[in-house]
Amino acid sequence: MAFNLTINQKAVSVDASPDTPLLWVLRDELHLKGTKYGCGLGLCGACTVLMGGQAVRSCLTTVSEAAGKAVVTIEGLSPDGSHPVQKAWETVDVPQCGYCQAGQIMSAVALLASTPHPTDGQIDDAMSGNLCRCGTYTRIRQAIHQAADTSASTAAIPAKKI
Amino acid sequence: MQIERHDMKEPKRKALKMERRDFLQLTALAGGGLMLRSFMGVAAPAQTRAAAPVLSPSAFIRIAADGTVTILAKNPEIGQGIKTVLPMIIAEELDVDWKSVKIEQADLDEATYGGQVSGGSMAIPNNWESLHRVGATARQLLITAAAQTWGVPVSQCSTTSGRVIHAASHRSLGYGELAAKAANLTLPDPVNVPLKDPKQYKIIGHSQGGCDVPAIVTGKPLFGIDVELPGMMHAVFQKCPVYGGRVKSANLDELLKMPGVRHAFTVAGSLATTPGGVDPSGSALEPGVAIVADTWWQAQTARKKLSVEWDQSGCLLQNSKEFAQHAETLSQQSPANTLRSEGDPEGTLKNSAKVVEAAYSYPFIAHATLEPQGTTASYKDGKLEMWTTSQTPGSGKKGVAQILGIPPENITVHLCRVGGGFGRRLNNDYMTEAAWIAKTVSAPVKLLWSREDDFGHDFYRPAGFQYLKAGLDQSGKVVAWRHHFVTFGEGSHTASSANLKNDVFPAGYVPNYALYMTAMPLWVKTGPLRAPGDNAHAFVVESFVDEVAIAAGKDPLAFRIELLQNPAIRATFAESLKPTPGQPMPYKIEPRMNPSRLQGVLQLVAEKSNWKNRKRSPGTGMGLACWYCHLGYFAEVAEVTVNESNQVRVNKVWIAGDIGSQIINPRAAENMVHGGIIDGMSEMNQEITLANGQVEQTNFHQHAMMRMKQAPPEIEVHFKKTDYATTGLGEPSLPPILPAIANAIFAATGKRIRSLPMSGSGFKWA
């Protein structure tokens, strides 16, 4: 069955069974490998993407639910890693293994879009759906504060074509 | 029953011996680059880390005409930062600017690169000297090339930032300009090339960002799961929920009708057929059903329709509850093995002024690396190519070669960035599965385990039951110690990572001492988990030391220092092992715990946490613990608050660590210690249980790991730099955090946690 999707401001059409999770459409049909599989049950957050500006778990979002909505993945934040959240992650040197970090970054982008200067408590609440098996939470918190300080306006979700 | 004896805690250290004469051939790269080709004879792996292997700079360094330096990273990157750190060592001695360095992951080729193992916190001990010499040898070649160009003595030339300088004539040449000439020179003997004075280090000891971070934050394909090949299919592999169960029948015809499914077949497997035996090979192929489809989701969807009749004859259908009951019974009996006995422990215990006794236990736990297990394999014309996430790719290749009957020279292995290792990928079952499936279908296949596969088919951290007794004299001094370890195995053999070494603290520090071991049978695979053994033994021993200190009426810090200052031990500690201050070589490893170094970190953490003035208010308390493992010394203090519902919040953790004279990449080191603390906290409340031989936990909701809101708001890391050899950091920060928190919970509540998970004692994370 064909679905028309908008991924990172680009219109694409995919042929998949309607219950196929968006995660596997992104990874195996559209070859966007940044979004990761971790649990398949929305427990770990490694597959987090933005849909209509909200952070969602792409392992639980079917391709039919995603049709017609604007989806942003880690690859769509910037063409060159220049999004303030990506820059902050790099400056603070957040990752250890790095597997969860695309999901962490997408959750952080959604948080900063709604709460440009979050407190530690707000960060904890917004980020506690994303597991980091390596335990980089201290650095993630630090990077979110840094991104908030850099520029709240540019930390927004990309609105124009990149 | 056949039980694995091999302890994976410190993977076999491979040292290459090579005859240097006549083996080196230097060639210039097209375009004027430096590429040194080596042909090295390889001797059998040495059993100990005796001499550093001699490695050729050609294998590791490429210098382009424009001065760009490419350094190959030899070991699997599992999140420990080794892909950045090992090239830092080479770049330091090569004397180039770090920003001019590009890093490339090496393929598997242990004859050229030496052992390519990420495990046991051994990458630094095993590579420190040889990689220093790789960088220094290349630098020496470039100096010689410049000296010959100018017609001046080598001794008048120096280097800085990728240039050779002749100060007397104010001349300099960039490495890129010298590379072609250097490639035609004879290699100097690496053992005699000059090394930098550590005081001159510009890269080592200075924080460098992780080399893959730009690719990680932009979502570039890097990890094993991201591999994609032309014409590749996707596979899932369903194994029996009970280890070793065989396929009697399966509805394969039905699966083959499902969308996208190309192949469905049963795999007989390669498990050893010893009755009652868990196959000791980490590469063994378990029986199961393979489903290969155009996409992973199609393969996974087909699996939901899979119906298998399993043959579980010969399998033990064990239950976790029975282990605890059996261990309790065994603890009352005479121990099966005496691992150590000194003085008269039993007699002294009978006559001690005070006896402290406690039983400790901890469960099986899973690794749950966030990237599930998997490998991509392509088989064509008798040749196998693999892209994998193993921590021991050389062992994985060997296993694949044996089980599939493919000559090793026909197998190529590429190393991908690994989404977490933690010891799970020291075993390579997923490599064998992927190779088997790819060979069967003769096409490129990516095998990916589901999270449920991962929880159900791990090499679990073994559970254990430990019974301790300490005798005190009138003054509160420890005079006797009895430690009975009830574990899994048979006779004197223990299951993988279910052992206890006979130097476990305080062995050797108490005059009347006994260490016993009794094993019971187990039908599930076990294996090393980050700081194997130590992650459990530190919890047991350091919690019990706290109990004994309190029973002795002594401060837990002073009590530990007193134990470590046992004069008999100090006398036997070899003075000759003291290193030469300020010298990077010779690289000398102390063969056993040095009590003065453990005291050093204890004193440092006490000072940083203001231990002697600590708060003692109801509901809030501080706890202390220390541990030596993987050549590293760590002391940690935790402050916790426990509310009326027994919810535990860790307010702050102070850490003092001694891993020798250098912290190679300080900010990355701090990050890894944070990880050790949070990982250890997760382990305090996780549990894998068996019901009728089947693992009951299937996903993260049943085996929770720490989330951000549970992580300590403050983790303060201090390194005590000593003159000793620089050693590894992946593991040693983890073990002490479990007892430090358990001891803090006791200080806050008066309740002692003697059994993990802590939920069994009524506690949970806030």
Side-chain angles (χ1 to χ4, degrees):
Chain A
M1 196 172 165
F3 293 94
N4 294 319
L5 304 176
T6 308
I7 311 288
N8 301 331
Q9 281 86 47
K10 273 196 272 188
V12 292
S13 180
V14 294
D15 188 27
S17 156
D19 61 352
T20 305
L22 176 61
L23 168 65
W24 296 106
V25 170
L26 293 171
R27 289 187 58 84
D28 288 349
E29 305 284 345
L30 302 174
H31 312 291
L32 294 168
K33 303 293 192 193
T35 307
K36 296 295 192 271
Y37 166 73
C39 69
L41 295 179
L43 299 167
C44 76
C47 66
T48 305
V49 298
L50 304 180
M51 192 165 77
Q54 301 290 314
V56 299
R57 310 299 179 212
S58 65
C59 73
L60 295 181
T61 306
T62 62
V63 63
S64 58
E65 288 167 335
K69 304 208 176 75
V71 172
V72 180
T73 71
I74 186 78
E75 292 92 344
L77 283 187
S78 72
D80 54 0
S82 59
H83 187 282
V85 176
Q86 291 172 315
K87 292 307 290 179
W89 244 251
E90 198 174 332
T91 312
V92 174
D93 201 28
V94 171
Q96 285 184 40
C97 87
Y99 191 79
C100 73
Q101 299 296 347
Q104 304 278 3
I105 288 172
M106 298 316 286
S107 289
V109 169
L111 166 66
L112 290 169
S114 63
T115 313
H117 292 280
T119 61
D120 280 347
Q122 288 170 321
I123 292 173
D124 286 357
D125 286 343
M127 300 301 294
S128 283
N130 289 79
L131 289 174
C132 176
R133 174 72 181 84
C134 302
T136 62
Y137 298 128
T138 318
R139 292 276 171 97
I140 291 172
R141 215 181 267 140
Q142 196 184 334
I144 291 174
H145 283 306
Q146 183 164 317
D149 290 345
T150 314
S151 167
S153 57
T154 55
I157 297 158
K160 60 179 190 299
K161 202 172 173 73
I162 53 169
Chain B
M1 180 171 200
Q2 191 179 0
I3 299 287
E4 182 175 3
R5 296 182 67 184
H6 181 97
D7 176 16
M8 289 292 293
K9 181 176 174 181
E10 290 182 12
K12 281 178 197 160
R13 302 154 183 169
K14 287 182 179 158
L16 296 178
K17 284 180 190 162
M18 119 183 197
E19 297 288 333
R20 275 187 299 283
R21 61 186 160 76
D22 303 331
F23 280 93
L24 298 160
Q25 178 190 322
L26 313 182
T27 53
L29 279 179
L34 169 65
M35 175 79 173
L36 308 166
R37 289 231 170 270
S38 69
F39 301 89
M40 303 194 297
V42 181
Q47 291 306 307
T48 56
R49 205 200 70 85
V54 175
L55 303 174
S56 168
S58 63
F60 292 92
I61 303 168
R62 292 200 304 267
I63 300 173
D66 69 358
T68 304
V69 178
T70 303
I71 299 181
L72 270 76
K74 66 190 282 281
N75 278 15
E77 172 59 69
I78 58 173
Q80 83 282 44
I82 209 70
K83 188 175 176 185
T84 306
V85 159
L86 294 182
M88 282 172 71
I89 297 173
I90 295 173
E92 181 68 71
E93 293 290 352
L94 183 59
D95 206 14
V96 290
D97 288 341
W98 183 246
K99 63 176 189 296
S100 72
V101 173
K102 288 181 179 168
I103 297 176
E104 249 177 47
Q105 178 68 55
D107 286 339
L108 176 69
D109 181 359
E110 292 185 317
T112 299
Y113 302 114
Q116 292 175 275
V117 172
S118 287
S121 298
M122 286 306 288
I124 297 304
N126 284 339
N127 293 287
W128 175 263
E129 178 165 356
S130 54
L131 294 188
H132 271 273
R133 296 200 187 282
V134 161
T137 305
R139 173 178 169 271
Q140 196 63 25
L141 281 172
L142 291 155
I143 289 177
T144 306
Q148 288 182 2
T149 304
W150 295 324
V152 300
V154 164
S155 60
Q156 289 179 7
C157 298
S158 60
T159 59
T160 185
S161 299
R163 297 189 76 78
V164 182
I165 314 282
H166 185 242
S169 63
H170 305 289
R171 282 181 292 187
S172 77
L173 282 168
Y175 285 0
E177 300 168 275
L178 293 164
K181 190 177 181 92
N184 291 313
L185 297 175
T186 305
L187 269 188
D189 184 348
V191 178
N192 294 325
V193 294
L195 299 177
K196 276 189 183 176
D197 178 340
K199 289 192 206 72
Q200 309 298 321
Y201 288 166
K202 295 176 191 162
I203 297 172
I204 292 175
H206 300 270
S207 296
Q208 316 294 349
C211 64
D212 281 339
V213 171
I216 289 167
V217 303
T218 49
K220 298 282 188 303
L222 271 177
F223 295 90
I225 194 176
D226 300 336
V227 172
E228 206 166 271
L229 302 174
M232 184 181 85
M233 295 186 286
H234 297 258
V236 297
F237 188 54
Q238 177 68 45
K239 289 167 288 230
C240 181
V242 174
Y243 171 77
R246 295 168 301 279
V247 182
K248 203 181 272 179
S249 67
N251 58 338
L252 301 178
D253 291 342
E254 193 181 333
L255 300 184
L256 285 165
K257 291 177 197 147
M258 295 197 58
V261 174
R262 303 287 169 183
H263 306 269
F265 52 92
T266 59
V267 175
S270 72
L271 294 183
T273 52
T274 320
V278 172
D279 195 316
S281 161
S283 298
L285 183 63
E286 282 188 51
V289 175
I291 305 169
V292 183
D294 291 337
T295 71
W296 189 79
W297 184 250
Q298 288 169 334
Q300 179 71 354
T301 302
R303 169 152 58 170
K304 288 170 194 157
K305 300 283 182 200
L306 173 64
S307 172
V308 185
E309 193 186 345
W310 298 103
D311 172 8
Q312 297 179 175
S313 58
C315 303
L316 296 182
L317 306 183
Q318 295 181 310
N319 291 289
S320 287
K321 281 179 192 148
E322 292 157 9
F323 293 141
Q325 288 158 5
H326 191 189
E328 179 62 26
T329 305
L330 292 172
S331 77
Q332 311 292 331
Q333 299 169 2
S334 185
N337 301 279
T338 300
L339 302 183
R340 183 168 180 149
S341 181
E342 280 149 8
D344 177 18
E346 307 289 352
T348 313
L349 277 167
K350 279 190 196 111
N351 300 317
S352 293
K354 195 171 196 175
V355 173
V356 186
E357 186 171 5
Y360 281 80
S361 66
Y362 44 86
F364 294 90
I365 52 179
H367 296 81
T369 59
L370 203 56
E371 179 181 9
Q373 314 317 314
T375 288
T376 301
S378 179
Y379 183 83
K380 200 179 175 189
D381 302 330
K383 290 198 158 67
L384 180 69
E385 192 169 5
M386 308 183 83
W387 290 257
T388 195
T389 52
S390 171
Q391 294 176 244
T392 56
S395 303
K397 176 179 169 174
K398 199 174 153 195
V400 166
Q402 284 171 350
I403 292 164
L404 276 77
I406 301 173
E409 60 271 23
N410 288 348
I411 302 175
T412 306
V413 180
H414 307 282
L415 312 185
C416 304
R417 191 177 178 89
V418 184
F422 307 101
R424 172 59 182 86
R425 303 177 206 259
L426 293 166
N427 290 304
N428 300 299
D429 43 346
Y430 47 88
M431 279 180 81
T432 316
E433 290 174 5
W436 189 275
I437 294 167
K439 185 168 182 253
T440 304
V441 304
S442 281
V445 175
K446 175 156 68 185
L447 168 74
L448 175 66
W449 287 21
S450 67
R451 178 57 56 197
E452 289 76 13
D453 291 327
D454 193 48
F455 271 107
H457 300 275
D458 198 353
F459 290 75
Y460 306 95
R461 189 284 298 272
F465 306 86
Q466 308 202 16
Y467 303 85
L468 295 108
K469 221 183 228 193
L472 301 169
D473 69 10
Q474 294 290 353
S475 71
K477 189 174 160 53
V478 183
V479 290
W481 193 282
R482 183 189 197 273
H483 188 163
H484 185 189
F485 178 41
V486 178
T487 184
F488 296 97
E490 186 181 46
S492 61
H493 298 173
T494 51
S496 175
S497 291
N499 63 328
L500 179 58
K501 290 202 288 187
N502 71 357
D503 61 353
V504 64
F505 192 76
Y509 292 80
V510 177
N512 302 288
Y513 178 91
L515 180 63
Y516 304 118
M517 187 273 280
T518 303
M520 51 188 175
L522 178 68
W523 188 273
V524 73
K525 294 179 295 180
T526 61
L529 170 70
R530 191 180 194 174
D534 298 288
N535 58 42
H537 303 322
F539 160 69
V540 171
V541 171
E542 280 290 295
S543 296
F544 187 64
V545 165
D546 205 66
E547 289 198 61
V548 178
I550 288 161
K554 293 183 181 176
D555 179 88
L557 171 68
F559 181 78
R560 283 176 173 82
I561 301 272
E562 187 184 300
L563 257 178
L564 288 165
Q565 283 179 341
N566 183 330
I569 301 308
R570 205 167 46 202
T572 60
F573 192 76
E575 289 295 307
S576 64
L577 290 166
K578 280 190 176 168
T580 315
Q583 297 292 318
M585 305 301 162
Y587 184 89
K588 288 190 246 180
I589 293 284
E590 300 181 281
R592 64 172 95 71
M593 185 180 92
N594 177 340
S596 68
R597 295 179 72 182
L598 200 53
Q599 287 174 60
V601 291
L602 273 168
Q603 272 149 353
L604 180 61
V605 83
E607 176 201 319
K608 296 294 180 186
S609 65
N610 198 13
W611 174 258
K612 73 178 172 195
N613 299 316
R614 66 190 182 279
K615 283 186 286 183
R616 294 161 196 265
S617 55
T620 295
M622 281 166 74
L624 168 77
C626 60
W627 200 248
Y628 162 78
C629 66
H630 297 83
L631 308 173
Y633 299 78
F634 277 81
E636 296 169 7
V637 169
E639 186 199 272
V640 306
T641 296
V642 185
N643 69 14
E644 59 285 351
S645 312
N646 276 346
Q647 289 179 313
V648 180
R649 171 163 291 283
V650 178
N651 304 320
K652 185 165 179 179
V653 175
W654 294 261
I655 296 128
D658 172 3
I659 53 166
S661 62
Q662 297 290 337
I663 304 301
I664 301 172
N665 195 3
R667 286 206 16 92
E670 182 195 60
N671 203 356
M672 194 151 49
V673 173
H674 288 175
I677 299 307
I678 289 167
D679 197 357
M681 289 176 70
S682 292
E683 291 180 5
M684 291 184 76
N685 214 19
Q686 293 174 330
E687 181 176 27
I688 289 289
T689 52
L690 290 176
N692 295 318
Q694 185 172 339
V695 169
E696 295 185 286
Q697 290 71 26
T698 59
N699 212 312
F700 291 118
H701 61 297
Q702 295 157 322
H703 190 270
M705 68 177 76
M706 300 302 290
R707 292 182 180 272
M708 183 178 270
K709 65 183 173 188
Q710 297 164 325
E714 279 189 273
I715 305 176
E716 204 177 287
V717 183
H718 301 276
F719 286 106
K720 184 178 171 66
K721 287 192 190 173
T722 54
D723 287 331
Y724 294 92
T726 300
T727 53
L729 187 58
E731 293 164 287
S733 73
L734 186 149
I737 194 59
L738 291 92
I741 290 173
N743 295 341
I745 290 171
F746 177 81
T749 65
K751 290 178 197 157
R752 179 66 65 184
I753 296 174
R754 295 194 184 89
S755 178
L756 296 179
M758 66 182 193
S759 57
S761 305
F763 293 99
K764 58 184 170 187
W765 299 114

